[in-house]
Amino acid sequence: MLLLGLVVLVVGVIGLVLSFFGASIDYKHRSAEIMNWDVSPGTLVLWGAASALLIVLGLWMMKAGAKQGWRRRKEQKRLTELSEKLDQVELERRRNELADDEG
């Protein structure tokens, strides 16, 4: 999810950069052009809004992915610690059984 969020963020940034710097607006004829593609000024506004929405969505997805990864690492660490404790208890139990059998 972290990687997908990064991809969505990059697409949003590219769209926003194109709408700001790649667009030329002809106020006399009420038209706009993005990379040699004629659009209306309303479409240009919607393009910018969609790009901003993609940026926010990408940031949210990256945050959620990082949070999920952090929880997974924390749980794995906890399971490793519990496994080590269980191994120690099992070893101690076997030692006690051997001591009881010998004595």
Side-chain angles (χ1 to χ4, degrees):
M1 189 163 196
L2 186 66
L3 185 60
L4 183 62
L6 184 62
V7 169
V8 171
L9 178 70
V10 168
V11 169
V13 168
I14 289 172
L16 203 59
V17 167
L18 284 177
S19 66
F20 279 130
F21 300 112
S24 61
I25 300 173
D26 184 7
Y27 293 104
K28 187 176 182 182
H29 295 99
R30 291 188 157 199
S31 66
E33 186 177 298
I34 300 175
M35 304 297 288
N36 295 328
W37 182 42
D38 290 330
V39 295
S40 68
T43 304
L44 185 62
V45 169
L46 290 177
W47 178 295
S51 297
L53 183 64
L54 284 175
I55 290 172
V56 170
L57 179 66
L59 289 172
W60 179 82
M61 290 173 73
M62 289 175 61
K63 177 186 169 191
K67 195 175 191 181
Q68 184 181 25
W70 178 77
R71 267 190 259 133
R72 193 175 298 135
R73 284 189 298 275
K74 185 178 174 183
E75 183 67 21
Q76 185 62 40
K77 182 180 177 183
R78 182 175 166 269
L79 289 174
T80 302
E81 290 172 356
L82 288 175
S83 178
E84 289 172 358
K85 286 180 183 180
L86 182 62
D87 290 343
Q88 289 175 356
V89 168
E90 183 69 24
L91 182 62
E92 191 65 33
R93 187 181 63 82
R94 286 184 185 172
R95 285 182 187 163
N96 289 339
E97 285 178 359
L98 285 176
D100 290 342
D101 290 342
E102 291 177 2

